[in-house]
């Protein structure tokens, strides 16, 4: 499947880990609709690891859902999810076991693709644990992609090899629709900061058809659940969400969406930030200015219709003024042009600047603007 824009949805792993169930998935599907998440674009509901029995069925060799967690089987869950207007995602692994030690799809790729098609899956996250040493990892993503392309259903392949083997060089050629480029996120500022920093150089290896996936969001987790760590402040969650949007990353919510409300719900449905993320040109961001210590950045991104997105990102522990020269965008002083800006967090007109732009940004904060070129 060839996604034209960064896929958006929810994944069970960050909050629920192995504590997944039929009821929890149905409640999540309800919440995604009732809270306006589906309307905002979050369309995939993905069940991550730990959904199956520990062993394949001895007769059919198929992976079988754990009947304690999913007593009505997976097709019933998928039907419910589809009935809500959402798309349904499943999880497996290129190795012999999944990362949490359930059956993997190694040497069962075509059988498992058929099983996921029978469930009515629209998305498959495909992990990389327990890969036999003698097997070429690249080939395993080719196999599962080939199996999915020929299973009779349109299923988006979400590769997850954590950036191993220079994945950005070859993953698009396999047919995958997105690919994880980093290790696992946890609910802390340091975790999302380092993941993001590690991929700035790789923003160019992302675009329609195959998106660089910098992991599921921890926004709104409030340090509860499977990948809890130090937790984040609301300001830090705002920064995380803004950076994922600026990057054009897939937006997979990892918090308990049954409980998301208020500021966090507003944040993940912010129409300006989502417009940046979902811009159809999917151009990479670039660095318009960078501080000497490398942790204060102004990122820019050229959007369609002459719009420019700007993110003043202060990843240091001190408040600071960040700036860049408009010339860095291709607006030299001689052009006599300025930028009219809209604050992406408030939707307010932030006026016109020329020559350079300066913004005070709190420690760990991020200010985001949508800008248009005007005469000045
Ligand atoms: C790996 C992946 C995670 C998650 C777990 C499940 O660590 O990177 O995103 O899917 O496996 O066990």
């Amino acid at each position: 499947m060839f996604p034209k824009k960064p896929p958006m949805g929810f994944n069970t792993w960050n909050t629920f880990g192995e504590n997944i169930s039929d009821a929890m998935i149905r409640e999540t599907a309800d919440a995604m609709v009732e809270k306006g998440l589906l309307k905002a674009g979050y369309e995939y509901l993905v069940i991550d690891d730990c959904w199956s029995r520990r062993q394949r069925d001895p007769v059919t060799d198929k992976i079988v859902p754990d009947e304690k967690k999913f007593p009505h089987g997976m097709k019933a869950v998928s039907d419910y999810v589809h009935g809500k207007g959402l798309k349904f995602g499943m999880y497996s692994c290129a190795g012999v076991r999944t990362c949490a030690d359930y059956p993997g799809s190694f040497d069962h790729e075509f059988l498992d693709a058929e099983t996921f098609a029978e469930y009515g899956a629209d998305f498959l996250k495909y992990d990389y644990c327990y890969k036999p040493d003698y097997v070429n990892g690249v080939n395993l993503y080719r196999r599962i992609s080939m199996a999915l392309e020929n299973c009779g259903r349109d299923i988006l392949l979400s590769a997850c090899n954590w950036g191993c083997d220079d994945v950005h060089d070859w993953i698009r050629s396999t047919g995958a629709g997105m690919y994880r480029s980093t290790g696992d996120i946890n609910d802390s500022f340091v975790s999302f900061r380092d993941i993001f920093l590690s991929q700035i150089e790789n923003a160019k290896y992302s675009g329609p058809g195959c998106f660089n996936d910098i992991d599921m969001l921890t926004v709104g987790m409030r340090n509860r659940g499977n990948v809890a760590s130090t937790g984040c402040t609301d300001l830090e969650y705002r920064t995380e969400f803004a950076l994922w949007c600026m990057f054009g990353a897939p937006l997979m919510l990892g918090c308990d969406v049954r409980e998301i409300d208020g500021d966090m719900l507003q944040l993940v449905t912010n129409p300006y930030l989502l417009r940046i993320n979902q811009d159809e040109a999917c151009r990479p961001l670039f660095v318009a200015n960078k501080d000497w210590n490398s942790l204060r950045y102004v990122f820019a991104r050229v959007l369609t219709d002459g719009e420019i997105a700007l993110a003043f990102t202060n990843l240091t522990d001190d408040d600071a003024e960040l700036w860049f020269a408009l010339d860095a965008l291709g607006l030299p002083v001689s052009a006599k042009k300025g930028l009219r800006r809209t604050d992406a967090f408030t939707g307010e007109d932030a006026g016109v600047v020329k020559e350079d732009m300066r913004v005070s940004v709190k420690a760990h904060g991020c200010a985001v603007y949508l800008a248009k070129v005007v005469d000045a």
Side-chain angles (χ1 to χ4, degrees):
M1 217 255 263
F2 188 91
K4 296 198 176 72
K5 295 179 180 183
M8 293 171 64
F10 160 86
N11 175 300
T12 54
W13 183 252
N14 281 0
T15 292
F16 298 95
E18 64 179 2
N19 299 315
I20 48 178
S21 70
D22 179 291
M24 175 255 132
I25 296 296
R26 288 176 199 244
E27 287 164 18
T28 298
D30 293 349
M32 288 175 78
V33 175
E34 281 158 21
K35 296 185 188 240
L37 291 166
L38 171 60
K39 201 158 165 240
Y42 297 93
E43 57 177 350
Y44 290 102
L45 194 169
V46 182
I47 301 181
D48 207 283
D49 206 349
C50 310
W51 59 271
S52 77
R53 279 194 213 151
R54 289 281 178 187
Q55 303 300 336
R56 288 176 177 271
D57 184 283
V59 179
T60 64
D61 211 19
K62 285 182 162 186
I63 308 190
V64 194
D66 178 336
E67 46 276 277
K68 287 202 198 72
K69 295 173 181 169
F70 298 100
H72 312 294
M74 231 15 125
K75 181 68 169 49
V77 179
S78 161
D79 286 347
Y80 188 86
V81 168
H82 286 139
K84 290 276 160 179
L86 293 155
K87 293 180 177 164
F88 183 62
M90 290 293 312
Y91 165 98
S92 191
C93 183
V96 289
R97 304 290 285 174
T98 72
C99 298
D101 198 21
Y102 293 81
S105 289
F106 177 70
D107 252 351
H108 293 74
E109 292 86 359
F110 285 74
L111 175 65
D112 291 353
E114 269 170 35
T115 304
F116 295 130
E118 282 164 17
Y119 294 166
D122 308 295
F123 181 109
L124 179 68
K125 175 171 169 182
Y126 206 60
D127 224 326
Y128 204 49
C129 288
Y130 298 104
K131 179 187 80 65
D133 286 344
Y134 62 90
V135 187
N136 175 295
V138 180
N139 184 253
L140 294 185
Y141 284 95
R142 292 202 199 288
R143 279 193 198 181
I144 192 64
S145 183
M146 190 63 88
L148 291 176
E149 287 296 327
N150 292 284
C151 73
R153 243 191 109 79
D154 214 5
I155 301 182
L156 190 159
L157 173 58
S158 166
C160 180
N161 87 337
W162 324 300
C164 297
D165 310 323
D166 292 324
V167 64
H168 51 266
D169 281 341
W170 50 267
I171 192 67
R172 178 177 287 268
S173 76
T174 66
M178 56 194 259
Y179 68 99
R180 269 277 296 285
S181 52
T182 69
D184 288 11
I185 200 165
N186 62 50
D187 191 11
S188 71
F189 170 74
V190 171
S191 174
F192 81 71
R193 178 197 68 191
D194 290 352
I195 282 178
F196 181 81
L197 290 175
S198 79
Q199 290 305 304
I200 295 171
E201 285 295 315
N202 290 339
K204 56 183 177 286
Y205 300 111
S206 193
C210 193
F211 292 92
N212 183 336
D213 171 11
I214 50 179
D215 210 348
M216 287 94 67
L217 292 154
T218 61
V219 174
M221 280 187 66
R222 303 224 182 279
N223 215 23
R224 284 190 305 248
N226 190 39
V227 303
S229 174
T230 61
C232 290
T233 64
D234 281 19
L235 181 84
E236 290 165 344
Y237 283 140
R238 274 167 49 126
T239 300
E240 180 185 354
F241 193 69
L243 290 177
W244 262 232
C245 286
M246 273 304 280
F247 192 79
L251 298 178
M252 304 302 286
L253 300 170
C255 65
D256 185 345
V257 296
R258 298 171 307 179
E259 288 179 6
I260 191 170
D261 269 315
D263 289 351
M264 289 298 116
L265 181 57
Q266 226 182 345
L267 175 63
V268 302
T269 55
N270 176 309
Y272 299 98
L273 295 175
L274 291 178
R275 192 160 96 214
I276 296 170
N277 179 266
Q278 295 285 296
D279 185 78
E280 65 185 23
C282 301
R283 295 187 200 283
L285 55 68
F286 62 95
V287 177
N289 199 9
K290 183 175 156 187
D291 204 58
W292 62 272
N293 73 1
S294 299
L295 287 172
R296 292 182 193 125
Y297 290 89
V298 181
F299 297 107
R301 189 159 168 223
V302 173
L303 308 179
T304 48
D305 297 330
E307 247 183 339
I308 298 154
L310 300 165
F312 293 72
T313 310
N314 181 3
L315 300 173
T316 70
D317 296 335
D318 302 303
D319 299 354
E321 186 183 73
L322 277 64
W323 77 281
F324 79 101
L326 268 52
D327 195 15
L329 304 183
L331 291 172
V333 176
S334 61
K336 298 193 172 55
K337 298 286 181 190
L339 289 177
R340 175 170 289 288
R341 298 134 329 137
T342 303
D343 183 319
F345 284 110
T346 63
E348 281 166 15
D349 183 350
V352 175
V353 281
K354 51 184 186 177
E355 295 188 24
D356 58 40
M357 177 172 169
R358 292 170 187 276
V359 182
S360 297
V361 187
K362 289 209 176 312
H364 298 189
C366 184
V368 183
Y369 298 88
L370 281 159
K372 283 249 184 195
V373 178
V374 291
D375 291 334

